[in-house]
């Protein structure tokens, strides 16, 4: 039930300080990824794009909505969370 799933996801996003979006190319083809990122934007949650290790191409769906894209390693992800979480 898409309505139920959207309501649950919206609540999880609302309860979060920041949203991480995996910026691999599969995100370009995911309805849910685009919906989640759009929802996060609409309620003012910062989005950090995380580029999977070894990925050369980055999803425009994620990069167009993210405030920063970081590489797939603990230090860069944690730094972005600390810098941009509200």
């Amino acid at each position: 039930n898409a309505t139920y799933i959207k309501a649950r996801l919206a609540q999880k996003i609302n309860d979060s300080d920041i949203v991480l979006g995996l910026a691999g190319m599969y995100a370009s083809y995911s309805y849910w990824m685009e919906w989640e990122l759009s929802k996060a934007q609409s309620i003012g949650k910062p989005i950090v794009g995380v580029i999977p290790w070894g990925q050369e191409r980055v999803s425009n769906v994620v990069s167009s909505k993210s405030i920063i894209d970081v590489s797939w390693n603990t230090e860069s992800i944690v730094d972005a969370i600390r810098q941009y979480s509200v």
Side-chain angles (χ1 to χ4, degrees):
N1 183 327
T3 304
Y4 174 77
I5 293 170
K6 286 180 179 180
R8 297 290 298 162
L9 287 172
Q11 186 61 50
K12 293 285 187 184
I13 293 167
N14 193 50
D15 292 345
S16 301
D17 291 327
I18 196 164
V19 173
L20 301 178
L22 296 179
M25 286 310 296
Y26 72 89
S28 296
Y29 306 102
S30 171
Y31 166 80
W32 287 106
M33 175 73 78
E34 182 149 5
W35 184 90
E36 290 171 88
L37 296 177
S38 294
K39 184 63 171 179
Q41 266 189 327
S42 74
I43 59 176
K45 297 296 178 174
I47 299 167
V48 171
V50 179
I51 302 168
W53 190 83
Q55 189 81 35
E56 293 182 16
R57 296 177 61 203
V58 177
S59 168
N60 190 45
V61 168
V62 177
S63 65
S64 66
K65 292 177 174 33
S66 63
I67 53 176
I68 189 171
D69 292 329
V70 298
S71 59
W72 184 279
N73 66 61
T74 303
E75 189 173 311
S76 63
I77 295 169
V78 170
D79 286 346
I81 291 169
R82 286 184 177 143
Q83 184 174 355
Y84 295 103
S85 63
V86 289

